[in-house]
Amino acid sequence: MRIIIVGSEMTPFVKTGGLADVIGALSRELAALGHEVVTFLPLYRALKDKVAAAQCVSNNIRVPLGGRSMVGAIYELQLAERQRVVFVRQDELFDRAGLYGEADRDYVDNAARYLFFSKAVVASIPALRFVPDVLHAHDWQAAFVPLWWSRMLAPAWRLRTVFTIHNLAYQGLFPRDQFDLTNLPADYFGVKGLEFYGQLNLLKAGILYSDVLTAVSQHYAEEIQTKEYGCGLEGLLRSCHGKLHGVLNGADYTAWNPRTDRYITANYDNHSLANKVTCKRALLETLKLPVERAWAPVIGMVSRIVEQKGCDLVAEAVPQIVMMGASLAILGAGDPKLERQLRKLAERYPTRLGLKIGFDEALAHQIEAGADMFLMPSRFEPCGLNQMYSLRYGTVPIVRATGGLADTVEPYNPGTQTGNGFSFDDCTPETMLAAVARALETYRQRQHWVRVIQNAMACDFSWRKSAQQYLSLYQAT
Ligand code: ADP
Ligand code: GLC
């Protein structure tokens, strides 16, 4: 098949979260399975030097944006056999320090930026020397693609449009006047169109106008049809349930594998777990925690520091976790208030809470390798990637049973010795602490602990299966 993938971030180019890992790995896996893949990405400032080797395919991609006609360029980079990336360049919109904003504020013209991007993708297709069978867009930034495709090219060209929701909490909501930038007739702005409580909702374009709709785990695909998780779109999603599928993300084991990971002090697998202890000592040293305490359990966390991830629960529970004998290794950035709270706790427990605020790829890997447990008390979690990485690193996940966490973590049962982690249901510090206590208790029973680690490391969430699921959705008629 010839497949176009559209997203706003992608490893190894730009990343703020899991979306980048997914776009990068899915594109690569589909190409590895023998399909022709083109992935579209905006040309952000951070990418400019990385694309020096790219070839300009057209510098005259012209799209309407409200009253303006805007021109962009597209650059193509061959990444592997059958795999290309096409960067959409429009410096006025994308030559900036951030992706979506700076200093905690979204860019005020994000609607213009991503409407331009989405329209430019559709306008670029004829220039690609490539007749696509599938157009697969991801998240609100690319949600306009299926709609614009259906208006601009659909009658002349048959292909299947697929839209994937990675996080319903981000819908691309903008003031009503921004609807002009869509260049759509006024009747598209209605309850059955892009309107959402008086605002423009870009995510709705993807939900309404795609042939196939997916969410990044089976559990999440069901949850978003309920009031609790639907963020106001549950009714619409229920009405689309016939085309809505859950496809669990994979884990990219070329990047996240303790046997080959270049960021960690000692490589290991399930036969050489002594090297995991070496990684633990190195992690303690990096975070300036006492290495003599390497015998005691360390709980890791790598996360956007936001309420979605339950960071507030963790902040509340730090004193008890410390009292229970564990240390914490936390890496993340996000909400300034929560960051401040964690910083204060790190000052209060300098030998027990190792904290780094910021984005640090190397440290993320070092925490996966060096910690004994990995905490993800998410309020909601469409898929979550870190629990899958943790499993591969033998770093036992403690998760709230929601979304993809519920689909990937099975509570350890000492009776049958099955299960790969620990989970809890209610979103309170108390239930989370009870799960932490179960994990710590198991940690003290060496035989059981080794069993959980072995069960965890034996799990296989490689991309092959997920890519094949997408392929069958691409192919279904
Ligand atoms: P989300 O996309 O909701 O943030 P995921 O679990 O899907 O959550 O993916 C998060 C990805 O971003 C993981 O690869 C994780 O390692 C990475 N990540 C998150 N925060 C940081 C950080 N501060 N430094 C480095 N990597 C991070
Ligand atoms: C979103 C979700 C996360 C998911 C990621 C990749 O950022 O919050 O759960 O793993 O997308 O699909």
Side-chain angles (χ1 to χ4, degrees), residues 18-19 22 166-167 216 249 304 308 381-385:
L19 175 67
V22 171
H166 291 261
N167 195 336
V216 288
N249 290 330
R304 287 185 289 119
Q308 173 194 342
E381 194 60 79
C383 178
L385 297 173

Side-chain angles (χ1 to χ4, degrees), residues 351-363:
T351 60
R352 303 294 290 280
L353 170 54
L355 174 69
K356 172 148 183 200
I357 300 290
F359 197 90
D360 186 335
E361 187 72 34
L363 186 57

